[in-house]
Amino acid sequence: MQFRLIYAGALYGHSDDERLRERALHVHDIRREFHSQLRKLWRDHPVLANSEFNKSGVVGAQPIFPYIREGFRFIPIANEKNGLICTIEILLLRDGRPGGAIADIDNRLKTIFDALRMPKNDLELGSKSSRGKQGPARNEDPFYVVVDDDKLITHVSVTTDTLLDPVPGVAEDHAVRLVINVTVRPYHVHMENLAFT
């Protein structure tokens, strides 16, 4: 199973001390961007919409489980219970020519990984931030994420290039446009996850 997520906006590094308290909000804002795209994927994709599972008596119940955490009902596509893993290929467009960009990418990647997974606790939902702990909005029950834990991301490929189309309202040195190609497949193949092969 393959799909793409996109994001255009600010992308701060994981270790930016000036924004450390607000980092959880930044990550969760990106997570919300991904959620809205994943919600459409769940509605339209034949496997996630469950139509493929209902057509065949061979394939069992859908191997997706909700996780109740901090007032949210998270639905990760890949989780430890269903035997699914994922690989991601990232196209990261940012200011500066190749080899001359001001911001590093390794700390920015950590922010992306965190936005693809469920938060682990209330701190990761902003409980110590200026806006306080975030709760689910009207269209966020359930809240869709790619993985329950980023350790299920088993391969990462990153291509960076120059951002030629500025992101309105975002400072040049923080602005990015991302295209993330996600491939989900079984690691432990069984009858319930055959549709993901």
Side-chain angles (χ1 to χ4, degrees):
M1 170 185 186
Q2 213 171 33
F3 57 92
R4 286 175 182 82
L5 299 171
I6 60 170
Y7 172 73
L11 183 62
Y12 303 123
H14 173 65
S15 64
D16 191 337
D17 290 338
E18 292 176 18
R19 282 185 266 283
L20 208 50
R21 286 182 174 246
E22 303 302 304
R23 181 181 180 277
L25 295 176
H26 176 61
V27 170
H28 195 62
D29 287 343
I30 298 171
R31 187 182 289 126
R32 282 183 153 141
E33 292 282 330
F34 294 155
H35 157 76
S36 66
Q37 296 167 59
L38 291 167
R39 189 178 65 215
K40 180 169 175 40
L41 181 74
W42 275 80
R43 188 180 66 233
D44 297 344
H45 194 279
V47 172
L48 295 177
N50 214 13
S51 60
E52 291 300 312
F53 289 100
N54 293 330
K55 287 180 185 174
S56 169
V58 178
V59 180
Q62 192 168 1
I64 306 292
F65 306 94
Y67 289 74
I68 309 303
R69 185 175 290 174
E70 302 297 334
F72 284 83
R73 186 167 57 106
F74 290 102
I75 307 282
I77 297 172
N79 61 67
E80 288 197 57
K81 296 177 185 177
N82 65 17
L84 298 174
I85 56 175
C86 75
T87 63
I88 58 174
E89 298 169 13
I90 300 171
L91 172 61
L92 190 156
L93 304 176
R94 79 289 181 259
D95 188 54
R97 58 177 168 59
I102 297 170
D104 64 353
I105 65 165
D106 54 344
N107 287 315
R108 286 174 149 190
L109 290 176
K110 177 62 175 150
T111 298
I112 296 168
F113 297 158
D114 288 351
L116 292 170
R117 67 165 172 81
M118 300 185 310
K120 294 179 178 173
N121 51 45
D122 66 335
L123 294 173
E124 291 191 354
L125 286 166
S127 64
K128 301 266 184 185
S129 71
S130 60
R131 291 187 344 228
K133 181 183 165 190
Q134 301 298 292
R138 184 178 49 83
N139 63 353
E140 294 178 348
D141 184 25
F143 194 108
Y144 298 106
V145 292
V146 176
V147 292
D148 67 338
D149 193 300
D150 57 11
K151 68 183 176 185
L152 295 176
I153 300 172
T154 60
H155 174 82
V156 177
S157 169
V158 181
T159 302
T160 63
D161 208 340
T162 305
L163 175 63
L164 301 175
D165 182 21
V167 180
V170 180
E172 261 183 11
D173 53 338
H174 298 299
V176 300
R177 290 188 187 272
L178 297 175
V179 179
I180 304 173
N181 186 56
V182 180
T183 303
V184 177
R185 66 177 180 82
Y187 180 70
H188 301 289
V189 179
H190 50 76
M191 294 304 289
E192 292 184 347
N193 65 21
L194 279 178
F196 290 91
T197 58

